[in-house]
Amino acid sequence: MADNDFVGGGFSTTAIHAGWDPDGRTGAVNVPIYASSTFAQDGVGGMRDGFEYARTGNPTRRVLEANLAAIESGRYGRGFASGMAATDAMLRAALRPGDHIVIPDDAYGGTYRLIDKVFTQWGITYSVAPVIDPEAVAAAMTPQTKLVWVETPTNPLLNVGDIEALAAVAHAGDAKLVVDNTFATPYLQQPLRQGADVVLHSTTKYLGGHSDVVGGAIITDDEQLDADIAFLQNGAGAVPGPFDAYLTMRGVKTLAVRMERHCDNAEKIVEFLGTHPGVEKVLYPGLADHPGHEAAARQMRRFGGMLSVQLAGGRDAALDFCARTKIFTLAESLGGIESLIEHPGAMTHASTAGSQLEVPDNLVRLSVGIEDAEDLLEDVRQALA
Ligand code: P1T
């Protein structure tokens, strides 16, 4: 993917500048945090710059939304209070009672929980299929399927779906393809450019990048869908506040340099873990023998900062590994500058226990941060010793 393929020039130029020019009045180079819940009108209905009430629209949030649309090479962006709030709005915008959705057999536990525990109560049905197999996804579709939902790479098994092939499958059945691009980020992969209809993010992760803000976003080129999402954003109100919008944008500006370092560090750790006798299997799309490597190499710039390992010593060895790291902090979430480690089966994916999405109990997930690689390697080495 050439840099100049991105709207507005190179990726970082877009990430740093899209959505905001220095303020006309003050010259402020950064968008102010417009801490205002309401906006004065010049006579009834006389809104200045389109703002009336901050649930409907806030100037700081509007800049974030324009910025996120630009970095995904999309036309429309909408910010949400969390990734789950964005997921909820997307599902409600696209599905009606009687409709069907295909979801991955490996996905964030919270996404599965929302569909399985909440949306099924409203007459939505779902089927599960592996994202690495477009034919299996096609076979899981029914005449009622309105959405094909994928993560690529998936959380937590790092499976890769071929976005172009999945878009063709979804469109052949008159369904839309939603790609949760949280793990890859638009720096590594731009799903709308590969045929997806919608990109969804937990901006809590790499986009925010500093583990200091929770947020979500939906980006699409589809004008009607965007209008439906905007209606729900205002109508249901799960919006990010202006301070959250500001922090997220502050993170986005350094996404490219952070991602390069996340990828560098992850590759080194993958190499080390691949030779360790305590490790049964390393799951990372950058490995030549990873089943999704070819698709990943085609659609991603690099292979990301997330990796998982299955330990030879089973669940106890996995829990031990999580307990023994010193720099890798035992915590849920991912994508921040600091390295995190977790046991998906007991933590982020506990809600998948007993389901088709259940994860192996010897699995440990690492979110490789941007600390010094030697320190991270030493930490992993001593924790597995
Ligand atoms: O946490 P929130 O901002 O609401 O985002 C939900 C979400 C959506 N999609 C993916 C791929 C995710 O990974 C997440 C959140 N995931 C974690 C908190 C985690 O540790 O995996």
Side-chain angles (χ1 to χ4, degrees), residues 31-36 54 58-65 67-68 78-83 85 202-217 233 237-253:
V31 61
I33 299 166
Y34 282 92
S36 192
N58 171 284
T60 316
R61 187 177 99 211
R62 184 199 268 178
V63 175
L64 169 69
E65 292 174 335
N67 184 277
L68 294 179
R78 299 285 167 188
F80 286 87
S82 67
S202 168
T203 59
T204 314
K205 311 294 162 23
Y206 288 104
L207 298 189
H210 298 74
S211 306
D212 54 7
V213 59
V214 171
Q233 191 190 35
V239 294
F243 190 67
D244 291 0
Y246 175 80
L247 277 178
T248 305
M249 257 182 295
R250 181 174 158 124
V252 165
K253 291 174 200 290

Side-chain angles (χ1 to χ4, degrees), residues 109-125:
T111 305
Y112 167 72
R113 184 177 55 199
L114 180 64
I115 293 167
D116 180 64
K117 296 282 187 293
V118 179
F119 277 84
T120 55
Q121 294 186 51
W122 300 92
I124 308 297
T125 58

Side-chain angles (χ1 to χ4, degrees), residues 82-84 108 151 155 180 182 202 204-205 215 333-334 348 365:
S82 67
M84 288 320 304
Y108 173 53
E151 296 173 4
N155 180 4
D180 182 331
T182 299
S202 168
T204 314
K205 311 294 162 23
S333 203
L334 58 109
T348 50
R365 189 187 74 184

Side-chain angles (χ1 to χ4, degrees), residues 2-16 70-71 187 301:
D3 249 349
N4 58 11
D5 281 343
F6 294 93
V7 171
F11 183 87
S12 284
T13 307
T14 303
I16 292 166
I71 60 171
Y187 176 66
R301 189 196 296 261

Side-chain angles (χ1 to χ4, degrees), residues 40-47:
Q41 303 189 16
D42 298 320
V44 175
M47 290 179 270

